[in-house]
Amino acid sequence: MGRNLQNGGRLRPVDLARGHGLSTQAIRNYEEAGILPAAARTPSGYRAYTPLHAMALGAFLALVPGHGHRTATSVMRAVNRGEVDEACRLIDESHAQLLDDRRTLRAVERALRDLAPIAGSAPDAAVSGPGGTFIGPLADTLGIRPATLRKWEGAGLVRPRRDPLTGYRVYDEADVRDARLTHQLRRGGYLLEQIAPLIAQVRAAGGPAPLEAALSDWHGRLSARGRAMLTGAAELEAYLRERG
């Protein structure tokens, strides 16, 4: 069947481009990039594509939404070189990244849930007094060392002010919230540089509650990626079968 598709039905670049809203230059670029197999040439030098090229184009465009342009390009290059194992490895890495993103989302949701009862309760030892709390009581409440809080401060995860008289660090309610959230995520195994963007989102939203819509959207995007990966896999498998 692959031979029939390869040899039958000559297609022009415009024939491939029209069905996907692409330009003929994009088709030529895809061939030069190795996304499409090399096309034969007519006696006058024009490219002669086949239905197999159309299947390669369809597979690539189906892979992009789930895996991204770079990975989709690398997958198609590997397939067209006959390196199917390499193509599968690239796809496996992309799936592993999606799984890691799902785990991150779950960790963020758990951390925010753990903050919820604290946010609605009366002030505790961690926020003693109207002016906030000092590094020692906050560290004791979290069960960590003061040096850890200083390290988090250096990474921008907490931003205590300094008492003008003593120079001591003073943590207000927002600082305590950020420290608790950082603590939860660190317990989940996340690095400080992975935690920083979430802390920035919490600060921008004014607290964890307004992030519910963002988390719901995050769920939706991950689900869309997963389904797009299924679509891309089906198109790629069809292309592999036709290549024989």
Side-chain angles (χ1 to χ4, degrees):
M1 186 180 294
R3 183 179 301 127
N4 292 338
L5 280 180
Q6 182 70 48
N7 296 334
R10 193 179 80 188
L11 300 172
R12 301 166 299 168
V14 68
D15 297 323
L16 295 183
R18 279 175 179 163
H20 300 284
L22 300 171
S23 67
T24 55
Q25 184 59 51
I27 300 300
R28 289 190 286 269
N29 291 343
Y30 287 160
E31 182 190 348
E32 291 171 4
I35 293 168
L36 305 181
R41 297 287 183 135
T42 66
S44 20
Y46 292 109
R47 289 175 171 86
Y49 295 110
T50 68
L52 188 65
H53 291 89
M55 291 191 72
L57 178 61
F60 170 71
L61 295 177
L63 287 168
V64 169
H67 300 275
H69 194 280
R70 178 179 296 180
T71 297
T73 297
S74 297
V75 167
M76 294 304 297
R77 284 173 173 166
V79 167
N80 291 328
R81 291 193 304 264
E83 300 172 1
V84 177
D85 283 347
E86 172 64 10
C88 290
R89 184 192 67 79
L90 291 166
I91 290 172
D92 288 345
E93 285 187 349
S94 193
H95 278 280
Q97 181 61 60
L98 177 60
L99 180 59
D100 188 58
D101 289 345
R102 291 189 186 279
R103 287 171 175 160
T104 299
L105 175 56
R106 285 198 297 269
V108 168
E109 290 178 322
R110 283 195 301 269
L112 292 177
R113 280 198 302 270
D114 290 340
L115 288 180
I118 297 166
S121 63
D124 58 17
V127 283
S128 55
T133 188
F134 296 117
I135 192 169
L138 178 56
D140 288 342
T141 299
L142 296 177
I144 60 176
R145 296 179 301 167
T148 300
L149 280 171
R150 288 192 288 269
K151 183 177 181 180
W152 293 353
E153 180 183 349
L157 303 177
V158 290
R159 301 184 297 191
R161 60 183 174 84
R162 294 279 185 160
D163 185 283
L165 297 178
T166 64
Y168 294 157
R169 293 171 172 83
V170 180
Y171 298 82
D172 62 19
E173 187 173 351
D175 296 320
V176 172
R177 176 203 66 206
D178 294 346
R180 289 186 186 278
L181 181 54
T182 298
H183 184 47
Q184 292 293 336
L185 290 170
R186 287 292 291 139
R187 289 175 62 186
Y190 291 91
L191 303 176
L192 297 185
E193 55 265 31
Q194 294 172 311
I195 297 171
L198 173 67
I199 297 295
Q201 285 186 333
V202 171
R203 288 172 181 160
L211 289 178
E212 291 181 4
L215 293 175
S216 177
D217 178 65
W218 193 353
H219 271 291
R221 286 186 283 110
L222 291 181
S223 295
R225 265 176 63 195
R227 295 192 66 175
M229 285 179 174
L230 293 176
T231 301
E235 293 286 340
L236 181 62
E237 172 60 20
Y239 176 57
L240 287 170
R241 283 199 308 268
E242 295 300 344
R243 280 179 58 87

